[in-house]
Amino acid sequence: MNTAQLQSFCTAVRRDIINMTANAGSGHPGGSLSAVELVSAIFCTQMRVDPKNPRDPDRDRFVLSKGHAAPCYYGVLAELGFFDRAEFETFRQLHGILQGHPDMKKTPGVDASTGSLGQGVSIAVGMALAAKHMGKDTKVFTVLGDGECQEGQVWEAFMAANHYKLDNLTVVVDNNGLQIDGSNDEVMGLGDMAAKLRAFGFQTIEVSDGNDLEQVLSALGTPGQPGRPRAILAHTCKGRGVSFMEGQVGWHGKAPSEDQRRQALQELEG
Amino acid sequence: MSEKATRAAYGEALAELGAVNDRVVALDADLAHATMTVTFKNAFPDRHFNAGIAEANMTGMAAGMAAMGLVPFCSTFAMFGAGRAYEQVRNSIAYPRLNVKLAMTHAGVSVGEDGGSHQCVEDLALMRAIPGMTVICPADANETRRAVFAAAEMEGPVYLRLARLASPVFEEEQPFEIGKANVLREGTDVAVFATGLMVSESLAAAQLLEEQGVSAAVINVHTIKPLDEACVTEYAKKCGRVVTVEEHSVIGGLGDAVAEALMGKVACGFQKIGVQDRFGQSGKAKEVLKEYGLTAPQIAESIRAFVK
């Protein structure tokens, strides 16, 4: 997939996010939209996966540690053909395969059940460690929220990633700067995240605009360092792509109305 | 009767299991010499993973390893494994029904000297409440070995409750099937359902009761969930009186599991022997058990008073 194709892919995912959350009347559009380039680029350019064989034991693994960005994840998986886009109708609906937060038992292509913040990254560390132990060349990717990094478990997991020299693990922080109750700085300042990641032993790549595909692709393409886990600290914009959602705390966990859906989709015309 | 701690039997069983199942790995949180996963570590150093003092991450790592096809046995003290990491067990392991075996030691007040902060008397309640969790509390060293192998044999999350204190090893080895209680002694006046270290205490209590003219059946309920409801119902009906004995809070553990099974089905007298909504405390293990009324003579006295 070339960059122009990937750009259209991202736009399609953004439209999916708007449609899913509007249909459901609930969900998390803000943090889904900020992560679109990150998740899309990982799946489309980095991972060995086969949508027709989602349980292939030799596939690479992806863990959406910020599980509330499920609409972004589902959009990417559907655009890749893991399941039919008609399933979007079941998002957050009773008996649906698309739960409010990712459920590995229900959704083809989902490798870990997440949503309770801080837990996905530990699961990803366990997967990377198991892959090494089993002599597999599996790569493991996980996307965390910045607010999520307030969970102590995240730092336990980071410590373990370094201790076990997990150079098959890439941790991506979707640093959109906002969380439910306000900005990170207002709620609980994260300090110098890049310095912290480096101090925890990560090869740390900072991306000034994590919604710029060229920058994201360049970061993901940076060769890893043997014996070190890799972190990409991507500064993103919450609600990116929909003018009235961009940078707005209020769009963390609120669905667009029908009017807002129309306006958003208009703005997202390919 | 020889004595051996169920945690010691666990370490040996895990090493034995590791020799025949190369998917088995162990995780520990800086307590390998206490949980006895060190026995496995000595046999298979590259299959033992220390998470450091970080139980939440250990639990998540075990989930990730299970998702990759390994069979992780995850150990620390029950207080931390079932308590501190409860939500990780619930969401990272049980919710996706991952094949992780949680073998938690130092459960109950028989931890002794370390005191109430380290004596988990709520783990059965916590683990039992999680959908799909199998909960096992072996009565002795031999049963622990069988439980470890049975847990590995089945697919899905299992909680194994193990003890620090060396306890009697039964001379006769019992059959072990998950979910199937073992009747160790027949009786007609009262059915005593016991689990873990309280099984040997209850057997000794039944012997004392016999001398006082009370006939007590003793049933080893090694699997708290799924509970052997058929056995529980049968003996409750047969004896008309039920006593449960556990080294756990009387809230949410074996006693409540048995009560739930009988509720609305069998009318009978019911007494729960266990830790009566209190925290534990420091002391020699046997002194602490006595303080909480969990020794054979005290159990016999409680039952005698109840039956009378």
Side-chain angles (χ1 to χ4, degrees), chain B residues 192-208:
Chain B
V192 179
F193 297 99
T195 194
L197 302 196
M198 291 301 107
V199 174
S200 61
E201 296 297 329
S202 297
L203 273 175
Q207 188 63 43
L208 295 171

Side-chain angles (χ1 to χ4, degrees), chain A residues 18 22 244 251 256-266:
Chain A
I18 297 302
F244 56 91
W251 285 100
S257 66
E258 280 309 315
D259 280 351
Q260 289 164 330
R261 180 211 305 246
R262 261 192 303 280
Q263 189 189 334
L265 292 178
Q266 242 166 36

Side-chain angles (χ1 to χ4, degrees), chain B residues 102-118:
Chain B
L102 301 152
M104 300 301 166
T105 69
H106 293 61
V109 294
S110 62
V111 167
E113 291 84 343
D114 275 353
S117 59
H118 285 55

Side-chain angles (χ1 to χ4, degrees), chain A residues 182-251:
Chain A
S183 70
N184 298 155
D185 287 341
E186 287 166 338
V187 176
M188 182 52 66
L190 290 157
D192 188 340
M193 275 295 289
K196 284 179 177 167
L197 288 164
R198 277 193 295 273
F200 274 72
F202 281 80
Q203 173 194 358
T204 304
I205 304 153
E206 200 158 357
V207 175
S208 63
D209 184 355
N211 297 119
D212 181 310
L213 264 181
E214 298 284 1
Q215 289 189 39
V216 172
L217 291 172
S218 157
L220 286 168
T222 307
Q225 295 171 358
R228 288 182 86 187
R230 192 169 65 146
I232 296 174
L233 177 60
H235 302 285
T236 58
C237 171
K238 199 156 183 166
R240 179 60 186 249
V242 178
S243 60
F244 56 91
M245 291 185 180
E246 287 190 359
Q248 298 298 313
V249 166
W251 285 100

Side-chain angles (χ1 to χ4, degrees), chain B residues 179-196:
Chain B
K180 185 118 185 56
N182 288 333
V183 179
L184 300 183
R185 182 190 170 106
E186 291 291 351
T188 51
D189 295 328
V190 58
V192 179
F193 297 99
T195 194

Side-chain angles (χ1 to χ4, degrees), chain A residues 2 8 15 19-20 23 30 33 52 63 110-112 138-139 142 161 166 204 208 229 231 236 256 258 268:
Chain A
N2 63 34
S8 322
R15 294 174 62 87
N19 280 320
M20 260 181 272
N23 287 346
L33 290 166
K52 300 290 165 250
V63 179
V110 169
D111 292 325
T138 312
K139 296 192 295 289
T142 182
L166 300 179
T204 304
S208 63
T236 58
E258 280 309 315
L268 293 168

Side-chain angles (χ1 to χ4, degrees), chain A residues 61 99 103-105 111 113 116 119 122-123 125-127 129-131 133-134 136 138 153 156-157 160 164, chain B residues 25 46-47 49-51 54-57 60-61 63-65 67-68 70 87-88 91-92 95-98:
Chain A
R61 302 301 203 278
Q99 294 289 298
D103 182 336
M104 65 184 284
K105 290 291 182 197
D111 292 325
S113 297
S116 178
Q119 297 192 24
S122 292
I123 297 170
V125 166
M127 287 173 165
L129 183 56
H133 175 70
M134 296 160 93
K136 286 172 169 280
T138 312
Q153 185 177 349
E156 294 181 4
Y164 285 106
Chain B
V25 294
D46 63 337
R47 289 160 65 182
F49 300 93
N50 213 317
E55 296 80 11
N57 182 52
M61 285 204 303
M65 295 173 99
M68 294 293 286
L70 295 174
E87 200 231 326
Q88 283 77 10
N91 273 326
S92 289
Y95 180 53
R97 299 191 293 283
L98 288 168

